[in-house]
């Protein structure tokens, strides 16, 4: 059953996260005590899992992994209620991200990223049949940072346009976005109907120092822009104006890894279930709050 709005197809990265939570600053040249866990991650996979956790629609995921961890990732995705289609790369291992989480009040994180197999997803991995029964296609912005996966994005966007399937994109990484270039990024995502940047990504894409101004500017190019502001909630913009602001829920963060992915997943699932933009953003904020109270970037599995 795909639900009244159709299924959500997420195309994106599937990653192994090594999360190191440390108290106080890192000590260069010597040891820093930390609590270290290995957990499943990847922006695309996280979005899919949080969408399935919210419920209301079938969630599918297309991604690429190495043979080293394919079985584990398929099992973890299925446990979250996602229908995975994982392409197994025989030559490159699964991507890995080391997440350094400062256990201070903000639980801020720093990423060391080895994309591995994830950005080797390519046009040959795509089939238009993937859109059968799909009500929305979501593309992880990480796909735009590799040549092969960037070519896949172009093929997927063309197929979605031909079928009238709306497309959303989350820019995913301010650091990689700066390397790609804002103008190039916006050209590559032309035609999408929803853009879900973080504050830093929105400001980088527009050159505006203020998130509201950045959202308004982006909404002249994309019909709906949802800027995620972390502990300050989110704001929505259409037709060159901010049209709504949503407050975040007050929580004590343990790990902010994946909070933006949680917002995106719940937001998209709510849209497919029939919620309006504002209600969907409220659900996104609730999911983001739940995410930061957990270690790792995924919701609890379904057992």
């Amino acid at each position: 059953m795909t639900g009244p709005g159709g299924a959500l197809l997420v195309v994106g990265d599937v990653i192994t996260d090594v999360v190191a939570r440390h108290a106080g600053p890192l000590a260069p040249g010597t040891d820093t005590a930390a609590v270290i866990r290995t957990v499943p991650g990847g922006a695309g996979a996280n979005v899919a899992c949080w969408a399935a956790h919210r419920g209301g629609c079938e969630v599918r995921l297309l991604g690429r992994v190495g043979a080293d961890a394919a079985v584990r990732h398929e099992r973890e995705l299925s446990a979250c209620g996602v229908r995975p289609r994982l392409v197994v790369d025989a030559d490159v291992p699964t991507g890995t991200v080391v997440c350094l989480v400062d256990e201070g009040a903000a639980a801020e994180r720093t990423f060391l990223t080895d994309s591995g197999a994830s950005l080797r997803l390519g046009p040959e991995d795509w089939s238009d049949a993937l859109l059968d029964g799909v009500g929305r296609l979501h593309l992880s912005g990480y796909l735009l940072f590799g040549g092969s996966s960037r070519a896949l994005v172009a093929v997927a966007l063309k197929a979605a346009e031909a079928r009238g399937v709306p497309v959303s994109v989350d820019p995913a990484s301010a650091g990689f976005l700066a390397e790609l270039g804002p103008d190039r990024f916006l050209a590559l995502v032309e035609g999408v109907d929803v853009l879900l940047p973080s504050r830093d990504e929105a400001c980088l894409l527009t050159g505006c120092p203020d998130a509201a101004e950045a959202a308004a500017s982006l909404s002249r190019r994309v019909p709906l822009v949802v800027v995620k502001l972390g502990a300050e909630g989110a704001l929505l913009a259409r037709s060159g104006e901010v049209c709504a602001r949503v407050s975040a829920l007050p929580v004590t963060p343990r790990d902010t890894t994946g909070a933006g992915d949680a917002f995106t997943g719940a937001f998209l699932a709510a849209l497919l279930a029939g919620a309006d933009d504002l209600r969907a953003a409220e659900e996104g904020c609730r999911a983001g709050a739940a995410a930061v109270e957990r270690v790792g970037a995924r919701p609890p599995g379904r057992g």
Side-chain angles (χ1 to χ4, degrees):
M1 295 292 289
T2 60
L8 173 65
L9 171 62
V10 179
V11 183
D13 44 319
V14 182
I15 296 288
T16 299
D17 283 345
V18 179
V19 182
R21 297 166 54 211
H22 58 93
L26 295 174
T30 186
D31 296 313
T32 300
V35 176
I36 300 173
R37 290 178 57 189
T38 300
V39 294
N46 296 339
V47 167
C49 289
W50 282 100
H53 183 70
R54 188 273 175 194
C57 66
E58 178 186 309
V59 182
R60 308 171 187 172
L61 172 71
L62 172 65
R64 192 176 183 99
V65 295
D68 59 310
V71 172
R72 180 190 179 199
H73 278 292
E74 184 162 358
R75 182 177 64 244
E76 295 279 4
L77 288 162
S78 297
C80 284
V82 176
R83 291 183 57 187
R85 177 170 173 171
L86 300 183
V87 179
V88 179
D89 194 311
D91 300 319
V92 175
T94 302
T96 301
V97 173
V98 177
C99 311
L100 304 177
V101 182
D102 187 339
E103 289 192 303
E108 276 303 330
R109 70 272 191 270
T110 301
F111 298 142
L112 302 174
T113 301
D114 177 353
S115 297
S118 64
L119 297 191
R120 285 163 57 93
L121 196 68
E124 69 279 5
D125 300 320
W126 176 263
S127 165
D128 288 356
L130 288 166
L131 293 174
D132 291 347
V134 168
R136 172 169 291 278
L137 170 65
H138 178 72
L139 302 171
S140 168
Y142 277 109
L143 296 172
L144 296 170
F145 306 136
S148 177
S149 52
R150 193 159 50 240
L152 169 66
V153 167
V155 171
L157 284 172
K158 184 176 180 180
E161 181 182 15
R163 292 209 185 186
V165 175
V167 183
S168 54
V169 172
D170 185 330
S173 168
F176 287 157
L177 184 58
E179 293 180 20
L180 181 68
D183 291 342
R184 189 178 184 194
F185 176 89
L186 290 170
L188 289 168
V189 301
E190 185 176 356
V192 307
D193 76 308
V194 181
L195 188 66
L196 297 121
S198 68
R199 181 204 308 269
D200 289 347
E201 292 157 1
C203 292
L204 179 60
L205 284 170
T206 60
C208 298
D210 178 74
E213 291 179 9
S217 176
L218 287 169
S219 71
R220 297 185 184 100
R221 303 186 61 152
V222 179
L224 174 62
V225 175
V226 184
V227 178
K228 296 170 286 188
L229 304 175
E232 297 176 29
L235 54 83
L236 287 69
R238 284 187 177 276
S239 303
E241 295 183 357
V242 172
C243 56
R245 295 175 183 266
V246 181
S247 298
L249 278 64
V251 294
T252 300
R254 295 184 64 205
D255 177 7
T256 57
T257 306
D261 300 334
F263 180 104
T264 296
F267 177 85
L268 297 177
L271 282 186
L272 276 171
D276 61 24
D277 300 343
L278 180 59
R279 181 61 60 86
E282 290 171 345
E283 295 207 26
C285 282
R286 280 195 287 274
V292 301
E293 292 182 308
R294 295 174 53 79
V295 174
R298 298 276 180 89
R302 295 182 175 183

